[in-house]
Each structure stands twice: as C-alpha cells, then as structure tokens.
Amino acid sequence: MSKLTQQIQKSFIARLGQLTRSTTSLRARMRKGFDSTGPQVDTPIRQAPVQAATRVTEAPEGECLYAIGDIHGRRDLLERLLEQIEQDSETLPAGTKRTLVFLGDYIDRGLQSRDVIDVLISDRLKNFETVFLMGNHEEALLRFLSDANFGKQWVRYGGGETLYSYGFQPPNTRTSLTSHEAMTAAKKAWEKVWMGFRERLPKEHFEFYNSLQSYHVAGDYLFVHAGMRPDVPLEQQSARDLLWIRDEFLDDTKEFDHMVVHGHTPAEGVFRDNRRIGLDTGAFISGRLSAARLFKTDVSFLETSPV
C-alpha cells in the first residue's frame, strides 16, 4: 500500500469519526433548523405546515411510479428503501409497469457517495424502468470536472465526502489567504486532486452523471429536483431554477398544470398539498430516505426508519 493511500485512509477514518461523534448534535439542530455555523448544508430544514391534499391526480394507466428523494451518499438507506419498494411492487396487479424516478442529489454529504452510484448503475434495478434526474450536487461535480478552481466551493456543501468516497483527500486550504505562497500552494493542490479525479473517475460513472435528465412527466405528475418558477411554462423554465429554486416555488400558492414531485429542500417529513409533494427528508442526517408511491389515483409513501 502506498504512503499516499495510507494517508488518505487515515484522513478518511478521522473524518468518519468526526461525523459519527457529531450525529446527535446534528439531529438536534435538524429539529430546530440549521444555523449559519452548522454543517456543510445549503439550506435550513423547512418546517412547512401540514395541509390537506384534496386534488386528485392520476399516474399513467397500468404504471406504478416510485419517486425517491435525495440520497446524499447513503447507500445503506438506499438499499433498505429499495427492499421496501420491491416488496410493495410484488403486490401490484400482474403486468403493471414499475418505474423508479430518482429526484437527484445522489452524492455529497454522505461518505458512501460512490457506492450509491454503483448501485444505481448495477443490475440491482433491472426489474424496474428507471428515470434519473439531475440534482444540483451532480451539477456541482460536473462543474468541478471542468474547473479545478470550483473545488474550494464544492467542498463547502458536501463535495469533500464525494471526493473521499472516490479515494481523494480534499486539500486543506484554510490558510490559503495568508500569503501569496500559500495561495499558490493551495491552487496546485487542487489541480492535483482535479487531475487525479478526472483520470480515475470510472467511465460508467462519468456517463451516468452526463445522462441525467432535467425533469420527467408521467400522467398528472411532473418530477423535478428542486421545483419550478411560478407562472412560467415548463418549456421556458431555466435549468438553474429546476435545480436550485426554493422560496419562490415553495411559498407560492397557485397550482401548476401537474402535481410537482421534488426533493432539494429538506424537511422533517414528507410534504404534500395540492401543488407539490416534497420528498427530501434529510436522509444523510435523519436516517429517513423517503419515496412516494403513485398508482392510479392513490398516493402513499415509503420511508426508512432511523436506527
């Protein structure tokens, strides 16, 4: 084993220990909402009021859709949720088309990020039709692949865990602003990681990241990572809004032509009203990875339970 590999493993183990020791405090903060000094997240936990959903929506004839929220490097939760979905799908009428719609954010924040992609591109899902949407965190990885300088920003909201999962140690650049020499050293360190990551990223993973869709429409449902800008037709929605929008979408009251099924904004539980179904339940901290089951006019939910 090379000295570099040993160093990366030691750093990985130290990082894992830090994450394990902080789990209790992170969960407590999740209940109250993240503050500006919290972990590497880009939004507070949203505590939207529960509303009654009276709108009737229908999945395509003969198809059952399972929409899965943000996984964020938790292969363990993904495996558990897939087992639930497989068991549930066995109860469907013979001949029913079974479709998994993944809402993006497969990577970052969780140390099993690479492992999650391995599952998604494996034969594990061969009994289902699959739809994979782009999340803002996959967009960040692709941006890093084309711009080494973006790495400093990417690690601030979870990219470091993805790099660790692929066997790379993010450079420590906290002192990079202390001198010109430190800035130069930090830049070179990031360029080294960038070149290595580009060279060693599996071809199948690269192709997966580049194949991700912006949205998916099925029956009365529109699946998208973040949401949509109100009063803008679907064909005119910007890619950035589909991946990043929050308050403008979440706080509006007007219904869209489709029921919008999305992730991106973590909440303490699944959210459903007459406009949207939100499935990001903060899996990387909460242990809850959630999915919506959409069959005919029925809407129900599956979820992993925190250990």
Side-chain angles (χ1 to χ4, degrees), residues 260-289:
V260 180
V261 184
H262 68 95
H264 185 57
T265 299
E268 292 184 333
V270 169
F271 179 88
R272 181 190 177 198
D273 65 8
N274 287 334
R275 300 176 62 247
R276 64 184 182 89
I277 298 173
L279 294 175
D280 183 356
T281 46
F284 75 104
I285 289 178
S286 69
R288 291 187 175 91
L289 179 60

Side-chain angles (χ1 to χ4, degrees), residues 161-186:
E161 286 80 358
T162 295
L163 288 172
Y164 274 115
S165 75
Y166 281 99
F168 292 91
Q169 180 175 345
N172 183 354
T173 57
R174 293 180 181 179
T175 61
S176 62
L177 299 179
T178 59
S179 67
H180 176 72
E181 290 77 12
M183 291 178 63
T184 301

Side-chain angles (χ1 to χ4, degrees), residues 5 18 55 89 120 136-137 147 168 171 176 191 194 299 301:
T5 301
Q18 292 171 359
R55 181 178 179 180
S89 69
L120 297 181
N136 59 301
H137 286 261
D147 180 7
F168 292 91
S176 62
E191 289 176 349
W194 175 70
V299 178
F301 302 97

